[in-house]
Amino acid sequence: MASFAAPRLHVIGAGLAGSALATQMAQDGVSVTLYDSGEPFASRWTRGMKTAPEDHKVAEPEIFYDPEDLVRHFFAQWPEIPRKLIRPAHAVIGLKHPGRSPAIIDLDHGIAAALIARRPTIFARLFTAWNLWFSRYASEDKRVRQHVRIAADTIENQQAPTATYHQDALATLAEVLFSMPAHNCSASLLGRVLLPTWREMQRHNASHAFAAIDPIILNDIALPALRDQFIAAGGDIISGMELGDIDSTADFATDLFFGDEQIEVRPQDAVVLALHPRPLCDAVPDIGMPPAPAHRRTFVFQASKSFAEPCCVLADDDLVRAIYCNRRHIQVSMNSSLILPSDGTADQLAATIWQRVTELCDQHLNLDLSQRTKIESNGECPAFSYVDCEAPFPELSPGVAALRHRLAPPWRNLFLCGDAFPPDYPPGPAAVIASVRTVRAQLHEYMKLRDL
């Protein structure tokens, strides 16, 4: 049992990042209090999702880039959490370009190798590898540009610059994997993620580069298991606590204000903020991270026959941004530039989206969706849910995505977790776990020094 004078940890924000960090620190023997404005140990993947025409929740599977298996290894610590929480995602990209046939790229064993290997000649492969390597050291102000479509009937469009194969791939990956428009994504971040080192180009990765996390298992089994572990280790949970302000001296945070409640923080104590950018900026105005929550709009169509494994097609298309086939659902993520007409309905848009989905799956995946779905006699598409919600990971303004790992909290006993992750990870579950691992080591070092 920790003594009264022993350091105490205050973790504010009990999503995946805060819950994971608090659980591990409590099991390490640290006295931990976990605060959240809502219910702790609840995933933001499904929190607050509203659908139409029916008002119910839809659980979106999250497909993310994790070649080091950080997320699976983290949850494998607890045998009561099913292994099927994290599944390999067999992903392909369908890139379209005027005058070229669609390219199918298998991404099971890494992005860089796949982008390079599908080039037809050795010179093209070297050129693509050079572009990837150059992006790694590009200026932080350089953005990934959207694919520019060229229409043959206008001279103006004919003179517009055409996107290269390499630029097409980066734009699609930024949109789908990072939940942000391509023009807001740093080219250098993508370069580091795609090609971290020269050795990575030559190494054959036997594990899957992409994984799919099941939000139903996450919410119903994994996070409750973490909660049980946290309480068993002596952790305290306080819900309904929304952080309003932090008082401080020049060097240390001294008080946490939750409405009318004030929590004293001693110099030997530590505070971790595992918050979205918006409440983070409100609590620490000098943090330098502008709030910009991403918006996610998705159609989820019901399938009558299940799929063996999660798979997806990342399509650079006017309407469809990405298609995920997961168990008995076909999840269609819409292009960020697509605007739902004010006088249109979800049913009307669903029919249009479904038509494009069937065409893209037939073209890129050689998949006939009519054999896996059931359409009513008076309908134009299968039963569906329309998700219109805030994305799990925030959209970052230009430059922040590449610079966020350099954010320095203004006080020695304040730490950031979740949205301040190592530079070689894109936003996603793997980045969250990488941040948890980094902050855990920093906390032990800080508390060890303060305890001397």
Side-chain angles (χ1 to χ4, degrees):
M1 182 67 67
S3 68
F4 178 76
R8 186 169 190 85
L9 175 62
H10 303 271
V11 180
I12 304 171
L16 178 59
S19 300
L21 178 65
T23 301
Q24 288 198 322
M25 292 299 295
Q27 291 181 330
D28 291 342
V30 178
S31 181
V32 183
T33 302
L34 182 62
Y35 309 87
D36 195 81
S37 58
E39 181 62 28
F41 292 91
S43 171
R44 59 184 172 184
W45 270 282
T46 56
R47 180 190 299 173
M49 285 189 179
K50 300 297 182 181
T51 61
E54 297 84 9
D55 186 16
H56 62 278
K57 292 185 177 181
V58 169
E60 285 189 75
E62 186 73 21
I63 295 182
F64 58 95
Y65 180 58
D66 187 14
E68 298 180 14
D69 271 349
L70 294 180
V71 183
R72 184 176 62 83
H73 289 155
F74 173 80
F75 285 107
Q77 301 175 71
W78 300 280
E80 62 269 33
I81 299 179
R83 296 180 60 184
K84 62 181 179 180
L85 168 67
I86 310 296
R87 300 181 180 183
H90 308 293
V92 296
I93 292 183
L95 295 176
K96 300 197 303 179
H97 193 283
R100 298 183 188 172
S101 60
I104 302 299
I105 306 176
D106 182 358
L107 297 183
D108 278 347
H109 303 302
I111 298 178
L115 292 177
I116 296 171
R118 63 93 36 192
R119 306 303 282 153
T121 66
I122 184 63
F123 298 103
R125 293 177 185 176
L126 291 174
F127 180 74
T128 301
W130 165 254
N131 274 331
L132 288 171
W133 185 259
F134 180 78
S135 295
R136 187 174 188 267
Y137 297 99
S139 168
E140 303 293 0
D141 295 330
K142 183 179 178 182
R143 305 293 104 197
V144 177
R145 297 301 177 187
Q146 288 278 21
H147 170 71
V148 180
R149 297 185 179 279
I150 303 176
D153 55 347
T154 61
I155 298 178
E156 180 180 357
N157 283 339
Q158 285 181 347
Q159 294 176 347
T162 61
T164 65
Y165 163 84
H166 172 252
Q167 291 170 333
D168 285 343
L170 297 188
T172 306
L173 290 168
E175 285 255 336
V176 176
L177 299 180
F178 295 5
S179 294
M180 69 174 70
H183 65 271
N184 271 3
C185 184
S186 164
S188 59
L189 172 65
L190 264 174
R192 288 196 300 268
V193 170
L194 298 181
L195 200 61
T197 63
W198 175 260
R199 186 175 301 176
E200 187 71 22
M201 292 179 60
Q202 302 173 324
R203 188 182 69 179
H204 177 73
N205 192 346
S207 63
H208 293 279
F210 282 84
I213 191 168
D214 190 319
I216 297 177
I217 298 178
L218 179 68
N219 284 358
D220 296 347
I221 302 177
L223 291 179
L226 286 185
R227 184 187 185 112
D228 293 342
Q229 294 286 342
F230 178 69
I231 294 175
D236 295 326
I237 296 176
I238 305 180
S239 59
M241 300 284 279
E242 184 171 356
L243 181 65
D245 196 10
I246 301 177
D247 202 1
S248 65
T249 62
D251 295 325
F252 299 96
T254 58
D255 295 280
L256 304 174
F257 294 92
F258 299 92
D260 296 332
E261 293 197 42
Q262 179 179 348
I263 307 296
E264 180 184 358
V265 179
R266 303 165 300 171
Q268 66 264 36
D269 297 339
V271 178
V272 174
L273 299 183
L275 301 170
H276 266 306
R278 187 184 302 276
L280 181 62
C281 288
D282 292 341
V284 190
D286 298 333
I287 203 69
M289 183 185 292
H295 206 64
R296 174 169 292 181
R297 293 188 300 150
T298 305
F299 277 97
V300 182
F301 297 96
Q302 293 183 11
S304 56
K305 294 179 62 177
S306 61
F307 296 88
E309 291 286 351
C311 61
C312 73
V313 51
L314 314 183
D316 182 11
D317 185 74
D318 292 330
L319 300 175
V320 177
R321 189 177 69 180
I323 303 167
Y324 303 150
C325 302
N326 187 62
R327 284 187 288 177
R328 291 189 177 273
H329 294 89
I330 302 166
Q331 175 187 324
V332 183
S333 187
M334 288 184 290
N335 194 298
S336 60
S337 62
L338 179 64
I339 305 299
L340 179 63
S342 57
D343 57 346
T345 65
D347 296 85
Q348 293 171 342
L349 184 58
T352 303
I353 293 292
W354 179 251
Q355 181 181 357
R356 287 299 296 133
V357 167
T358 54
E359 294 171 357
L360 288 169
C361 285
D362 178 67
Q363 181 181 16
H364 294 297
L365 294 176
N366 194 25
L367 179 64
D368 184 5
L369 293 182
S370 63
Q371 301 298 319
R372 292 181 176 270
T373 56
K374 179 181 180 181
I375 300 178
E376 301 297 335
S377 57
N378 58 345
E380 299 181 76
C381 64
F384 70 92
S385 296
Y386 176 44
V387 178
D388 189 355
C389 66
E390 184 176 326
F393 299 96
E395 174 189 323
L396 306 178
S397 59
V400 176
L403 298 175
R404 64 193 307 169
H405 65 286
R406 304 179 192 173
L407 295 175
W411 308 299
R412 296 181 187 176
N413 60 341
L414 182 67
F415 300 85
L416 304 180
C417 184
D419 280 321
F421 46 78
D424 292 337
Y425 290 88
V432 167
I433 300 304
S435 177
V436 168
R437 184 173 60 179
T438 301
V439 175
R440 181 187 181 190
Q442 293 173 347
L443 288 170
H444 279 293
E445 183 65 23
Y446 175 81
M447 291 182 172
K448 177 181 177 182
L449 292 176
R450 302 302 301 181
D451 207 23
L452 294 178

